[in-house]
């Protein structure tokens, strides 16, 4: 394989990974969550030390981010070789579930807003349309 071909392949792979991170961030991932998700997608089940190295994060912080991804149902803890704790991605369909859950929350919030908006508008109008009080001396 020529150097030019290898460079083009590496550039394409880098762009693919950068795009994946960007898409994950558009789905609501933090930059660090996207980085860890990418590492696990690229390398499979891995210990936190490996994940932190590949994601360029401190190991203690890596655990915090992994914990958030576990709460979202996107990562799970498994036992690796020699009983060492590893982390792996859950099935990708869980991304869809996460987005559906967020969508439902937004729809519910929108309904609540529609219910309370008249009261908010009324209070807003009272405050903003009230004539200023002049203090005479």
């Amino acid at each position: 394989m020529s150097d030019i071909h290898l460079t083009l392949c590496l550039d394409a792979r880098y762009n693919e990974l950068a795009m994946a991170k960007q898409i994950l961030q558009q789905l609501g991932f933090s930059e660090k969550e996207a980085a860890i998700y990418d590492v696990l997608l690229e390398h499979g089940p891995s210990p936190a030390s490996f994940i932190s190295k590949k994601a360029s994060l401190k190991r203690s912080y890596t655990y915090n981010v992994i914990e958030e991804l576990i709460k979202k149902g996107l990562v799970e803890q498994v036992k690796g070789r020699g009983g060492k704790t590893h982390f792996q991605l859950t099935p990708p369909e869980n991304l869809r579930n996460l987005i559906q859950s967020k969508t439902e929350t937004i729809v519910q919030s929108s309904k609540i807003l529609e219910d309370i908006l008249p009261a908010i508008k009324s209070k807003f109008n009272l405050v903003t349309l009230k004539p200023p009080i002049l203090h005479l001396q």
Side-chain angles (χ1 to χ4, degrees), residues 39-51:
V39 169
L40 291 172
L41 190 58
E42 180 75 19
H43 299 282
S46 305
S49 57
F50 177 83
I51 296 167

PDB file of all heavy atoms in Angstrom, residues 39-51:
ATOM      1  N   VAL A  39     -14.732   5.406  21.572  1.00  0.00           N
ATOM      2  CA  VAL A  39     -13.679   4.455  21.952  1.00  0.00           C
ATOM      3  C   VAL A  39     -14.271   3.057  22.053  1.00  0.00           C
ATOM      4  O   VAL A  39     -13.715   2.089  21.524  1.00  0.00           O
ATOM      5  CB  VAL A  39     -13.000   4.862  23.282  1.00  0.00           C
ATOM      6  CG1 VAL A  39     -12.110   3.745  23.800  1.00  0.00           C
ATOM      7  CG2 VAL A  39     -12.197   6.140  23.101  1.00  0.00           C
ATOM      8  N   LEU A  40     -15.412   2.949  22.733  1.00  0.00           N
ATOM      9  CA  LEU A  40     -16.032   1.629  22.903  1.00  0.00           C
ATOM     10  C   LEU A  40     -16.554   1.077  21.579  1.00  0.00           C
ATOM     11  O   LEU A  40     -16.506  -0.134  21.346  1.00  0.00           O
ATOM     12  CB  LEU A  40     -17.154   1.705  23.938  1.00  0.00           C
ATOM     13  CG  LEU A  40     -16.671   1.952  25.373  1.00  0.00           C
ATOM     14  CD1 LEU A  40     -17.842   2.210  26.304  1.00  0.00           C
ATOM     15  CD2 LEU A  40     -15.829   0.782  25.860  1.00  0.00           C
ATOM     16  N   LEU A  41     -17.024   1.949  20.717  1.00  0.00           N
ATOM     17  CA  LEU A  41     -17.491   1.516  19.400  1.00  0.00           C
ATOM     18  C   LEU A  41     -16.321   1.003  18.561  1.00  0.00           C
ATOM     19  O   LEU A  41     -16.430   0.023  17.832  1.00  0.00           O
ATOM     20  CB  LEU A  41     -18.189   2.680  18.694  1.00  0.00           C
ATOM     21  CG  LEU A  41     -18.945   2.386  17.413  1.00  0.00           C
ATOM     22  CD1 LEU A  41     -20.032   1.335  17.651  1.00  0.00           C
ATOM     23  CD2 LEU A  41     -19.570   3.662  16.874  1.00  0.00           C
ATOM     24  N   GLU A  42     -15.191   1.659  18.702  1.00  0.00           N
ATOM     25  CA  GLU A  42     -13.998   1.306  17.923  1.00  0.00           C
ATOM     26  C   GLU A  42     -13.299   0.054  18.465  1.00  0.00           C
ATOM     27  O   GLU A  42     -12.835  -0.788  17.703  1.00  0.00           O
ATOM     28  CB  GLU A  42     -13.034   2.486  17.930  1.00  0.00           C
ATOM     29  CG  GLU A  42     -11.757   2.267  17.160  1.00  0.00           C
ATOM     30  CD  GLU A  42     -11.936   2.327  15.651  1.00  0.00           C
ATOM     31  OE1 GLU A  42     -12.944   2.887  15.183  1.00  0.00           O
ATOM     32  OE2 GLU A  42     -11.060   1.797  14.950  1.00  0.00           O
ATOM     33  N   HIS A  43     -13.245  -0.089  19.819  1.00  0.00           N
ATOM     34  CA  HIS A  43     -12.401  -1.127  20.419  1.00  0.00           C
ATOM     35  C   HIS A  43     -13.163  -2.228  21.148  1.00  0.00           C
ATOM     36  O   HIS A  43     -12.556  -3.212  21.563  1.00  0.00           O
ATOM     37  CB  HIS A  43     -11.394  -0.485  21.367  1.00  0.00           C
ATOM     38  CG  HIS A  43     -10.474   0.472  20.688  1.00  0.00           C
ATOM     39  ND1 HIS A  43      -9.400   0.058  19.928  1.00  0.00           N
ATOM     40  CD2 HIS A  43     -10.480   1.822  20.618  1.00  0.00           C
ATOM     41  CE1 HIS A  43      -8.773   1.113  19.434  1.00  0.00           C
ATOM     42  NE2 HIS A  43      -9.424   2.204  19.829  1.00  0.00           N
ATOM     43  N   GLY A  44     -14.461  -2.052  21.362  1.00  0.00           N
ATOM     44  CA  GLY A  44     -15.222  -3.066  22.079  1.00  0.00           C
ATOM     45  C   GLY A  44     -14.981  -2.988  23.580  1.00  0.00           C
ATOM     46  O   GLY A  44     -14.447  -1.995  24.083  1.00  0.00           O
ATOM     47  N   PRO A  45     -15.396  -4.035  24.308  1.00  0.00           N
ATOM     48  CA  PRO A  45     -15.263  -4.028  25.771  1.00  0.00           C
ATOM     49  C   PRO A  45     -13.836  -3.687  26.201  1.00  0.00           C
ATOM     50  O   PRO A  45     -12.874  -4.271  25.694  1.00  0.00           O
ATOM     51  CB  PRO A  45     -15.633  -5.454  26.170  1.00  0.00           C
ATOM     52  CG  PRO A  45     -16.495  -5.945  25.049  1.00  0.00           C
ATOM     53  CD  PRO A  45     -15.955  -5.282  23.805  1.00  0.00           C
ATOM     54  N   SER A  46     -13.737  -2.726  27.115  1.00  0.00           N
ATOM     55  CA  SER A  46     -12.420  -2.231  27.515  1.00  0.00           C
ATOM     56  C   SER A  46     -12.443  -1.798  28.974  1.00  0.00           C
ATOM     57  O   SER A  46     -13.478  -1.368  29.487  1.00  0.00           O
ATOM     58  CB  SER A  46     -12.024  -1.013  26.675  1.00  0.00           C
ATOM     59  OG  SER A  46     -12.073  -1.305  25.297  1.00  0.00           O
ATOM     60  N   PRO A  47     -11.280  -1.871  29.634  1.00  0.00           N
ATOM     61  CA  PRO A  47     -11.191  -1.351  31.002  1.00  0.00           C
ATOM     62  C   PRO A  47     -11.147   0.183  30.988  1.00  0.00           C
ATOM     63  O   PRO A  47     -10.794   0.795  29.975  1.00  0.00           O
ATOM     64  CB  PRO A  47      -9.873  -1.936  31.520  1.00  0.00           C
ATOM     65  CG  PRO A  47      -9.068  -2.209  30.303  1.00  0.00           C
ATOM     66  CD  PRO A  47     -10.043  -2.515  29.202  1.00  0.00           C
ATOM     67  N   ALA A  48     -11.495   0.773  32.100  1.00  0.00           N
ATOM     68  CA  ALA A  48     -11.538   2.237  32.199  1.00  0.00           C
ATOM     69  C   ALA A  48     -10.185   2.868  31.891  1.00  0.00           C
ATOM     70  O   ALA A  48     -10.132   3.941  31.287  1.00  0.00           O
ATOM     71  CB  ALA A  48     -12.022   2.660  33.582  1.00  0.00           C
ATOM     72  N   SER A  49      -9.109   2.202  32.279  1.00  0.00           N
ATOM     73  CA  SER A  49      -7.773   2.774  32.033  1.00  0.00           C
ATOM     74  C   SER A  49      -7.517   2.928  30.530  1.00  0.00           C
ATOM     75  O   SER A  49      -6.998   3.951  30.077  1.00  0.00           O
ATOM     76  CB  SER A  49      -6.686   1.910  32.670  1.00  0.00           C
ATOM     77  OG  SER A  49      -6.773   0.581  32.181  1.00  0.00           O
ATOM     78  N   PHE A  50      -7.910   1.932  29.752  1.00  0.00           N
ATOM     79  CA  PHE A  50      -7.745   1.985  28.302  1.00  0.00           C
ATOM     80  C   PHE A  50      -8.645   3.061  27.698  1.00  0.00           C
ATOM     81  O   PHE A  50      -8.225   3.842  26.847  1.00  0.00           O
ATOM     82  CB  PHE A  50      -8.061   0.611  27.692  1.00  0.00           C
ATOM     83  CG  PHE A  50      -7.977   0.581  26.187  1.00  0.00           C
ATOM     84  CD1 PHE A  50      -6.754   0.421  25.554  1.00  0.00           C
ATOM     85  CD2 PHE A  50      -9.119   0.711  25.408  1.00  0.00           C
ATOM     86  CE1 PHE A  50      -6.670   0.385  24.159  1.00  0.00           C
ATOM     87  CE2 PHE A  50      -9.053   0.683  24.022  1.00  0.00           C
ATOM     88  CZ  PHE A  50      -7.825   0.520  23.399  1.00  0.00           C
ATOM     89  N   ILE A  51      -9.896   3.099  28.165  1.00  0.00           N
ATOM     90  CA  ILE A  51     -10.862   4.083  27.659  1.00  0.00           C
ATOM     91  C   ILE A  51     -10.362   5.495  27.930  1.00  0.00           C
ATOM     92  O   ILE A  51     -10.394   6.354  27.049  1.00  0.00           O
ATOM     93  CB  ILE A  51     -12.253   3.870  28.292  1.00  0.00           C
ATOM     94  CG1 ILE A  51     -12.819   2.508  27.886  1.00  0.00           C
ATOM     95  CG2 ILE A  51     -13.211   4.993  27.911  1.00  0.00           C
ATOM     96  CD1 ILE A  51     -14.037   2.072  28.689  1.00  0.00           C
TER      97      ILE A  51
END
